[in-house]
Amino acid sequence: MDMFLQQLVNALSLGGTYALLALGLAVVFSIMGLINFAHGELMTAAGYGLIFSLLLGVPFALALPAAVVVAILLAVLMERVAFRSVRGASGTTLLLTSFAVSAIIRVLFQNFISARPMAVRIPMALSGTIEIAGLHLGIIQAISILVTIAMLVGLNLFLHRTVLGRAMRAAAEDFAIVRLMGIRANAVVATAFAISGLLAGVAGVLWVAQRGSVDPLMGFLPVLKAFIAAIIGGLGSLSGAVAGGFLLGFTEVFLQAFLPESLLSYRDAFAIILVIAVLLYAPQGLLARRTVVKL
Amino acid sequence: MLLSLNPLPEAILDVRGLKVAYGPVEALKGIDLSVRKGQIVTLLGANGAGKSSTLNAIVGLIGKKAGNILFKGRDVASLSPERIVRMGMTLTPEGRRIFPSLSVDEHLLLGGAAHSSRSSIREVREDMLERFPILRERLHQKAGSLSGGEQQMLAIARSMMSSPELLLMDEPSLGLAPQVVDLIFDLIIGLRDRGLTILLVEQNVSLSLEVADYGYVMANGRIVLSGTADELRNSTEVQGAYLGA
Ligand SMILES: Nc1ncnc2c1ncn2[C@@H]1O[C@H](COP(=O)(O)OP(=O)(O)O)[C@@H](O)[C@H]1O
Ligand SMILES: [Mg+2]
């Protein structure tokens, strides 16, 4: 039972990170029809933001938000520079643009920062465990779960209580009509990117805190997983992205924990089988949205 | 020259040589029309004549177009829909286009987003809820759960939330039961009576000519006929083509 609870915590923490990443992809997709493959670079940027803030002597507690701000700024910048000019273009054009943006930023990281992993000094206080009811919880994992919950609640409040949040939900259903309310399309899209940057930045910081290092390719794998999670949930559906993220996290952690040794190397294959099974059962994803994207 | 005791009100909208193409297809081949303040002007024509294209181009939803669109004397042909709406003109689109997963109240609040203060949004919202009591009953329901007629009223109320001076309406009675159609037309008259100017696209030609002051008839991307509502009602072309006489 202890073992089970321990794994539950692992699953919540990993699934939460996938959920944040998938949510960031879904927020942008729901509004622009764009699958942003440069999302992983936002995560990596947050990692470098953390490293350089610490190198500049910023205290750890302030370096964390600074890292997230770096990801937000980069997200808004890539929208302004690359995606605004292709807004409303075909899905293929958008996809290729995002591949290009991703590749360019990665090369910049490799050439101007370092192609090799850079270590991040995580304060001792965070690397230990705490004991709650006989359960040994990694402090970072516990924080990661709390942060994920706070982000999900905060985003939900934003989407339901503010004009821009409501405009984003409306734009996901019919963008042209949102503009007929006198709401600036640019503001809605920029907000979507800022939110995706925020989510990727937070996920990036949590990821780095667990791994202790940053490299230019750091964002690739988790964002690939997040993309799979978003597809499981139904691309463009926000609650679907969260559900897909947790489902994938749980699957990975429990396969890792309970698969026999000889099958462990097939863990990801089993996870992908799950995805295929879900898509066979529900080709549009678990919580698919039915509307089309129109600008 | 005759001096009229009732001079014609000035034009709030003046469209000159409006052309729109979808790829190689020329949908509007040079439209001229004007709408005078305080009037209901109707735009008639068969399916595919170019009525929706005209309204969408005027309000800025179609960006690529040629010609001039003078609204309150200013050329808005190159402006975005959000700018145009903030200047005082908006569109109730064809097919209602409500946001299914948003509540009725959220539609109204979004519709009023261009207002500068919360108190003016609240004021206009209260006004709309008085005008459309059914929306008050459904205030927290998702718009997707409303009936067609209720959705149309919501779409009109949402447009009115920006306090427009000129409202473009694209087939507001489409697909509605006859009693609901009457309700919508009563509403249109009510809106005109309190000073709103309306450019109305309708399939229901006889009802439109009943409420309109002036009308244009379109075919194949051109205006082929125009005149006062009385003139159109009595013209042999309109009678033959639309009124089944
Ligand atoms: N988005 C579009 N893409 C291509 N062709 C269009 C589009 N919208 C309208 N059309 C074409 O333009 C012409 C005018 O259409 P429309 O303005 O919708 O007419 P109406 O509203 O009078 O029925 C039609 O031939 C229609 O097929
Ligand atoms: Mg039409």
Side-chain angles (χ1 to χ4, degrees):
Chain A
M1 195 59 198
D2 239 24
M3 164 77 168
F4 178 80
L5 285 177
Q6 197 77 60
Q7 296 303 342
L8 192 63
V9 169
N10 291 343
L12 276 176
S13 138
L14 182 66
T17 305
Y18 288 162
L20 293 183
L21 288 170
L23 197 50
L25 287 172
V27 163
V28 167
F29 182 83
S30 70
I31 282 174
M32 265 194 85
L34 161 76
I35 298 167
N36 187 11
F37 272 95
H39 203 63
E41 278 61 49
L42 297 176
M43 241 185 123
T44 314
Y48 285 126
L50 183 60
I51 287 189
F52 287 106
S53 301
L54 293 174
L55 284 178
L56 288 172
V58 178
F60 196 78
L62 290 180
L64 293 174
V68 174
V69 168
V70 169
I72 295 175
L73 291 179
L74 182 61
V76 172
L77 185 73
M78 65 171 72
E79 190 276 320
R80 189 71 193 81
V81 173
F83 295 124
R84 188 167 293 186
S85 55
V86 292
R87 198 185 293 170
S90 73
T92 326
T93 306
L94 294 173
L95 195 63
L96 288 176
T97 308
S98 86
F99 273 130
V101 171
S102 163
I104 291 169
I105 298 177
R106 212 161 49 230
V107 167
L108 290 178
F109 286 155
Q110 283 165 349
N111 290 349
F112 289 96
I113 300 180
S114 167
R116 280 180 303 180
M118 291 173 74
V120 183
R121 292 236 332 264
I122 306 295
M124 287 301 283
L126 289 181
S127 49
T129 58
I130 43 171
E131 204 185 306
I132 299 176
L135 202 63
H136 292 277
L137 267 184
I139 291 180
I140 288 178
Q141 281 181 322
I143 292 177
S144 147
I145 292 171
L146 292 178
V147 168
T148 302
I149 292 170
M151 295 300 295
L152 295 181
V153 170
L155 183 63
N156 201 41
L157 284 176
F158 173 79
L159 289 173
H160 285 88
R161 297 287 164 80
T162 68
V163 174
L164 259 180
R166 291 190 191 109
M168 287 182 55
R169 281 162 55 225
E173 298 189 335
D174 200 330
F175 204 142
I177 304 307
V178 173
R179 306 182 72 183
L180 284 182
M181 323 276 97
I183 297 166
R184 287 172 44 233
N186 286 343
V188 175
V189 175
T191 308
F193 272 87
I195 289 175
S196 83
L198 168 68
L199 294 167
V202 169
V205 166
L206 295 174
W207 196 257
V208 169
Q210 307 222 13
R211 294 178 5 141
S213 75
V214 181
D215 65 83
L217 297 177
M218 179 189 96
F220 178 76
L221 203 59
V223 167
L224 183 66
K225 299 279 176 66
F227 176 61
I228 292 172
I231 290 189
I232 297 179
L235 204 52
S237 151
L238 304 192
S239 39
V242 174
F246 278 110
L247 184 63
L248 193 63
F250 271 73
T251 309
E252 284 191 0
V253 167
F254 281 93
L255 285 175
Q256 179 75 35
F258 300 114
L259 269 187
E261 192 90 38
S262 57
L263 287 179
L264 256 191
S265 54
Y266 297 108
R267 189 197 69 180
D268 284 356
F270 280 108
I272 296 294
I273 287 175
L274 170 87
V275 174
I276 295 173
V278 165
L279 293 183
L280 281 177
Y281 161 73
Q284 301 294 313
L286 291 176
L287 299 169
R289 24 176 249 136
R290 266 168 226 97
T291 44
V292 283
V293 177
K294 263 181 275 170
L295 262 182
Chain B
M1 236 177 28
L2 267 174
L3 270 180
S4 164
L5 288 177
N6 251 342
L8 281 174
E10 59 180 305
I12 188 170
L13 178 73
D14 231 322
V15 176
R16 294 283 160 253
L18 178 63
K19 290 185 182 178
V20 165
Y22 301 103
V25 183
E26 212 177 14
L28 300 184
K29 299 163 184 161
I31 301 283
D32 295 316
L33 64 82
S34 61
V35 177
R36 293 181 185 279
K37 225 178 207 148
Q39 295 198 333
I40 297 179
V41 173
T42 185
L43 187 56
L44 308 171
N47 245 332
K51 307 178 299 293
S52 296
S53 300
T54 304
L55 297 192
N56 291 339
I58 291 173
V59 82
L61 284 178
I62 298 175
K64 273 186 68 175
K65 55 194 174 251
N68 302 101
I69 299 166
L70 297 172
F71 176 55
K72 296 195 284 187
R74 178 157 169 220
D75 195 348
V76 299
S78 61
L79 299 186
S80 64
E82 45 266 47
R83 292 277 300 282
I84 292 174
V85 168
R86 282 166 185 265
M87 286 176 66
M89 149 163 57
T90 193
L91 164 74
T92 308
E94 185 173 35
R96 310 191 268 271
R97 308 270 291 264
I98 50 113
F99 310 115
S101 77
L102 270 66
S103 74
V104 167
D105 204 16
E106 287 179 316
H107 280 74
L108 299 181
L109 294 172
L110 271 183
H115 287 279
S116 52
S117 77
R118 269 167 197 267
S119 63
S120 59
I121 295 181
R122 228 174 298 134
E123 223 169 85
V124 191
R125 172 175 167 278
E126 200 46 46
D127 182 26
M128 283 305 125
L129 292 178
E130 242 152 68
R131 193 165 287 269
F132 301 92
I134 189 72
L135 296 184
R136 197 191 292 278
E137 281 171 41
R138 306 263 187 272
L139 203 54
H140 300 293
Q141 254 170 261
K142 282 189 177 179
S145 70
L146 304 185
S147 71
E150 291 165 351
Q151 289 187 0
Q152 186 60 62
M153 295 193 203
L154 177 58
I156 296 173
R158 178 179 63 180
S159 296
M160 291 302 296
M161 282 297 299
S162 66
S163 304
E165 293 165 59
L166 171 61
L167 177 62
L168 316 183
M169 304 179 92
D170 199 345
E171 308 212 13
S173 78
L174 191 70
L176 301 181
Q179 315 92 287
V180 187
V181 172
D182 288 343
L183 215 69
I184 298 280
F185 273 90
D186 285 345
L187 205 108
I188 292 172
I189 295 171
L191 292 174
R192 192 261 320 269
D193 288 347
R194 59 179 238 184
L196 184 70
T197 310
I198 297 173
L199 176 54
L200 174 68
V201 163
E202 257 300 335
Q203 293 279 326
N204 195 325
V205 173
S206 57
L207 267 179
S208 314
L209 288 176
E210 232 168 80
V211 303
D213 299 285
Y214 200 84
Y216 293 89
V217 179
M218 286 187 76
N220 298 319
R222 294 183 210 280
I223 303 275
V224 291
L225 197 64
S226 65
T228 64
D230 283 334
E231 287 167 358
L232 289 181
R233 212 180 357 244
N234 296 323
S235 80
T236 45
E237 292 98 322
V238 171
Q239 294 225 333
Y242 303 107
L243 297 176

